[in-house]
Amino acid sequence: MRAYIGGHTAVSVDDFMEMALGTPPELWLGVEGESEMERAARLDAARDILAENPQLPDDVTRLAAEVIETYAPELFGALPLTRPTGSRRSARKGAAA
């Protein structure tokens, strides 16, 4: 199955992540066996991206929370909050009066 996002084809989870973040996940996570020089260059690039996009960490956190909430809500370990209906509110107001 193929998915198209903004004219780009996403065929893997990594493709979706790269399109959502605007950068490849490897930039933030690193790759196995990278040298110290490669790691330093990767971290320099990441710092430059964060300097240009200071809202990126908040955007990524929000995106991650939305994905978890949608596809694996049990990972939050909390029950969704429910709001009282209007009849309960009015009953409480009447009891307090």
Side-chain angles (χ1 to χ4, degrees):
M1 182 174 136
R2 292 181 186 227
Y4 296 90
I5 302 170
H8 299 280
T9 305
V11 293
S12 69
V13 172
D14 285 345
D15 289 343
F16 280 106
M17 288 175 48
E18 185 170 345
M19 288 182 210
L21 296 172
T23 61
E26 295 83 13
L27 175 69
W28 308 103
L29 304 175
V31 292
E32 190 173 328
E34 72 182 354
S35 69
E36 284 300 315
M37 189 183 324
E38 291 169 328
R39 182 176 189 275
R42 178 177 58 78
L43 293 176
D44 283 344
R47 276 190 287 276
D48 290 345
I49 289 169
L50 289 173
E52 292 174 13
N53 303 293
Q55 79 288 349
L56 185 62
D58 291 339
D59 293 345
V60 171
T61 302
R62 189 172 18 266
L63 174 67
E66 288 172 7
V67 168
I68 292 168
E69 185 176 41
T70 301
Y71 296 104
E74 67 279 3
L75 295 178
F76 275 116
L79 298 173
L81 296 175
T82 57
R83 298 180 186 233
T85 61
S87 61
R88 288 184 185 168
R89 280 190 184 158
S90 59
R92 281 189 283 173
K93 285 182 182 176

